[in-house]
Amino acid sequence: QVQLVESGGGLVQPGGSLRLSCAASGIIFTMETMGWYRQAPGKQRELVATITDGGSTNYVDSVKGRFTISRGNAKNTVYLQMNELKPEDTAVYYCHAERRRSWPTYDLWGQGTQVTVSS
């Protein structure tokens, strides 16, 4: 079964850190781009960070300097290290993976993991 499995969410105090993990299972082909999106209550889902298979990264301005996205040594794994967390980072975080340039193509979403930043 092809799926993305996320882990690492939870409750943390402002200024704290969390690390999210995501792994694609059931796929033998390299995903071209993997990333994290988030959705806060009453808001639209927004891009947080992406990383390509070549290592190029992209971040939303609000997390630059605080979050770091990286790909693991295992194929099709991605991490999001979140430091200096703020209450406004509270959201459900979704892993995303896509492969568009080569067959077979994929556009996958994880089930989401809750991140709550609160004292």
Side-chain angles (χ1 to χ4, degrees):
Q1 181 180 3
V2 174
Q3 60 179 348
L4 297 178
V5 179
E6 303 148 340
S7 62
L11 172 65
V12 64
Q13 292 186 341
S17 298
L18 282 175
R19 187 183 192 224
L20 305 182
S21 301
C22 173
S25 63
I27 302 173
I28 63 170
F29 301 96
T30 300
M31 305 304 277
E32 294 158 359
T33 303
M34 300 189 74
W36 294 92
Y37 290 70
R38 66 187 179 187
Q39 187 166 19
K43 295 188 176 182
Q44 290 187 331
R45 189 174 297 188
E46 67 168 353
L47 180 149
V48 177
T50 60
I51 184 167
T52 68
D53 52 357
S56 297
T57 58
N58 179 50
Y59 297 90
V60 66
D61 286 346
S62 60
V63 309
K64 286 180 180 177
R66 300 188 297 123
F67 291 11
T68 302
I69 191 169
S70 61
R71 295 185 74 141
N73 291 330
K75 180 177 284 188
N76 296 331
T77 59
V78 65
Y79 305 99
L80 186 68
Q81 178 66 43
M82 304 185 293
N83 299 327
E84 300 175 34
L85 283 159
K86 304 176 180 180
E88 51 264 42
D89 295 317
T90 296
V92 177
Y93 284 69
Y94 296 91
C95 180
H96 178 251
E98 65 180 23
R99 177 183 166 93
R100 299 184 183 277
R101 298 194 303 268
S102 304
W103 183 90
T105 61
Y106 294 96
D107 187 350
L108 303 174
W109 289 93
Q111 79 283 3
T113 184
Q114 178 70 47
V115 171
T116 302
V117 184
S118 175
S119 55

